[in-house]
């Protein structure tokens, strides 16, 4: 029996079988390894384990009761079925063995800051995570995705987490889908139809209650994020920013947080979201501010950004933003809509300030432009309450 100690996690490599013939020896060997090492968490690696009996399960249960930070990893489908049938999977953290998937020759159908999406075949696509190799982060996003789906938001449900080289990927079943961005590129004459689809999707998000699910608050996150730029703005401006944030009404409706046209897949004229790691709840102004950054603010700070990121001109992106938001607020007068636009754009540039600092290093030129834009709104707005 072998082991490895990595970042305060002791991982014990288990053999091919753990049954009545070797369970006692297995237990003793595990105890010897544990006694000889200092660690914060314990894992049993079942990559080589093909069979476990009730005697082996009792050893696993003893370890789970003894160590609060305990898990079994790389569990084959057959052994996982044993854990599931006996109820162990509901009381012990069990991680299935991951299959390896190659994307060699696969068509790239979407790419963003955190992932790239490839079509594996006619029925499936894979989202390769590029910004993290932490399985906990990936599992968190999958849980948020499932919660959104249960609440009625059109999302794509994954059915597998896989290894793609040194990275992880999430496999989705989607038939003949394209990103909304690619739909626009392929059918520019249907742009107005796609904008209607987009506005309806945003309305669906903005009217869906989070229910009892544990989803973070967009407003609470915002208060934390703005602390990043406190040293770089005046005390008066920072106080006004927090005053404006406090004025945003509390709502329990969903906020995707990054709902631009590359994060929406379209299958048979139906949209579905595939990026859910930024899912939160709160007033729709948080949604509008995020997309305002994608279509308007980044282009203002860096000419050509929309073409580089979305392969669409600044004029097309401006049309998408203004037409979509006008449809979203279709019941308002032009004057009311304009007032909403100012408030949404104010929050957009607040976003831009902390995104600029949150990126790799400080983009001073971008920060300066965004700060100057934000000041225009700080001097005229008294609150960020939208009309609906």
């Amino acid at each position: 029996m072998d082991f490895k100690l990595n970042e305060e996690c002791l991982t014990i490599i288990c053999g091919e079988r753990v049954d009545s013939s070797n369970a006692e020896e297995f237990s003793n060997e595990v105890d010897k390894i544990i006694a000889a090492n200092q660690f914060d968490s314990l894992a049993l690696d079942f990559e080589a384990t093909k069979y476990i009996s009730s005697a082996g399960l009792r050893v696993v249960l003893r370890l789970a009761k003894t160590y609060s930070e305990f898990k079994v990893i790389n569990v084959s489908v057959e052994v996982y079925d044993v854990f599931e049938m006996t109820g162990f999977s509901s009381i012990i953290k069990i991680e299935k063995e991951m299959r390896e998937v190659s994307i060699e020759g696969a068509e790239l159908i979407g790419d963003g800051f955190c992932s790239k999406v490839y079509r594996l075949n006619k029925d499936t696509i894979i989202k390769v995570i590029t910004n993290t190799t932490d399985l906990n982060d990936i599992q968190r996003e999958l849980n948020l995705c499932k919660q959104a789906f249960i609440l009625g938001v059109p999302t794509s449900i994954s059915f597998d987490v896989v290894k793609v080289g040194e990275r992880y990927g999430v496999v989705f079943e989607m038939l003949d889908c394209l990103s909304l961005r690619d739909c626009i590129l392929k059918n520019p004459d249907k742009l107005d139809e796609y904008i209607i689809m987009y506005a309806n999707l945003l309305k669906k998000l903005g009217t869906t209650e989070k229910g009892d699910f544990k989803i973070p608050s967009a407003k609470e996150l915002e208060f934390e994020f703005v602390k990043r730029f406190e040293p770089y703005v005046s005390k008066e401006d920072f106080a006004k920013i927090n005053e404006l944030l406090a004025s945003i009404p509390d709502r329990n409706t969903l906020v995707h947080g990054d709902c631009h046209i590359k994060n929406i897949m379209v299958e048979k004229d139906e949209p579905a979201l595939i990026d859910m790691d930024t899912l939160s709840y709160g007033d729709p102004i948080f949604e509008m501010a995020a997309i305002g950054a994608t279509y308007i603010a980044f282009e203002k700070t860096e000419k050509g950004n929309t073409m580089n990121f979305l392969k669409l001109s600044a004029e097309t992106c401006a049309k998408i933003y203004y037409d979509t938001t006008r449809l979203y607020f279709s019941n308002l007068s032009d004057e009311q809509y304009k007032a909403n636009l100012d408030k949404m754009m104010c929050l957009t540039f607040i976003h831009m300030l902390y995104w600029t600092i949150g990126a790799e290093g400080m983009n001073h030129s971008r920060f300066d432009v965004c700060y100057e834009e934000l000041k225009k709104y700080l001097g005229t707005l008294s609150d960020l309450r939208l009309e609906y």
Side-chain angles (χ1 to χ4, degrees), residues 285-297:
I285 192 172
F286 293 105
E287 197 78 80
M288 300 306 174
I291 64 173
T294 301
Y295 303 123
I296 306 297

Side-chain angles (χ1 to χ4, degrees), residues 290-302:
I291 64 173
T294 301
Y295 303 123
I296 306 297
F298 274 108
E299 180 70 21
K300 188 178 287 289
T301 65
E302 182 184 323

Side-chain angles (χ1 to χ4, degrees), residues 254-383:
L254 295 182
V255 176
H256 180 275
D258 197 21
C259 196
H260 58 71
I261 54 177
K262 285 172 67 174
N263 280 340
I264 302 167
M265 305 303 291
V266 179
E267 181 184 346
K268 297 179 180 178
D269 294 326
E270 292 294 329
L273 293 161
I274 63 168
D275 245 344
M276 304 299 289
D277 59 308
T278 52
L279 186 70
S280 60
Y281 71 91
D283 192 274
I285 192 172
F286 293 105
E287 197 78 80
M288 300 306 174
I291 64 173
T294 301
Y295 303 123
I296 306 297
F298 274 108
E299 180 70 21
K300 188 178 287 289
T301 65
E302 182 184 323
K303 296 299 181 185
N305 185 279
T306 56
M307 184 59 70
N308 291 333
F309 182 58
L310 296 173
K311 309 302 180 190
L312 294 170
S313 70
E315 293 75 20
T316 299
C317 287
K319 174 180 172 59
I320 292 170
Y321 176 72
Y322 292 117
D323 287 5
T324 300
T325 54
R326 192 66 186 95
L327 282 171
Y328 191 97
F329 298 106
S330 58
N331 61 313
L332 300 185
S333 68
D334 288 343
E335 184 179 355
Q336 289 173 313
Y337 170 65
K338 174 61 170 61
N340 273 5
L341 271 181
D342 287 345
K343 294 176 180 181
M344 294 186 298
M345 198 51 60
C346 176
L347 188 58
T348 286
F349 283 107
I350 292 174
H351 278 16
M352 290 293 292
L353 290 191
Y354 65 70
W355 283 341
T356 298
I357 296 174
E360 298 176 2
M362 169 72 140
N363 187 326
H364 290 282
S365 60
R366 175 171 286 166
F367 186 91
D368 292 343
V369 171
C370 292
Y371 190 18
E372 288 304 311
E373 290 292 327
L374 177 59
K375 286 179 181 178
K376 299 175 185 177
Y377 300 103
L378 296 182
T380 59
L381 295 177
S382 60
D383 64 70

